[in-house]
Amino acid sequence: MLDTALWISLALVLAALALNVYRLTVGPDMPDRLLALDTMYVNSIALIVLLGLWLNTKTYFEAALLIAMLGFISTVAVCKYLLRGDIIE
């Protein structure tokens, strides 16, 4: 039962990643592309967690936490750059 749920969730997360790549390339303006990139971070975290569940190891969960922190910091930095023109005041 768990294998079936993992395969279904893997397919859905990969479909979400494909839609995010489409929005990233075709997005009408920069905030839409930034939102697509941020959503891709979340989907990649979901893929890493699914891989950790499938392989039954805790290392992947720590990697997902690290990617979450880096994704948040980079999103804040890019938003500050788009709004103000510089990152560090």
Side-chain angles (χ1 to χ4, degrees):
M1 182 74 174
L2 183 63
D3 288 335
T4 305
L6 284 175
W7 281 107
I8 291 171
S9 59
L10 178 69
L12 291 175
V13 169
L14 286 176
L17 268 172
L19 291 173
N20 284 329
V21 168
Y22 173 75
R23 176 54 61 193
L24 187 64
T25 57
V26 180
D29 52 359
M30 191 56 92
D32 285 335
R33 290 181 177 155
L34 182 64
L35 185 63
L37 188 65
D38 189 46
T39 308
M40 285 178 68
Y41 280 122
V42 173
N43 288 336
S44 66
I45 292 167
L47 277 176
I48 292 172
V49 168
L50 286 173
L51 185 64
L53 285 172
W54 189 38
L55 297 175
N56 199 18
T57 61
K58 295 180 183 178
T59 307
Y60 291 102
F61 299 112
E62 294 173 2
L65 182 62
L66 181 65
I67 289 175
M69 289 188 300
L70 289 174
F72 175 74
I73 290 170
S74 66
T75 301
V76 169
V78 171
C79 286
K80 282 182 77 173
Y81 178 72
L82 286 177
L83 291 175
R84 298 183 187 160
D86 61 345
I87 297 172
I88 299 172
E89 296 174 356

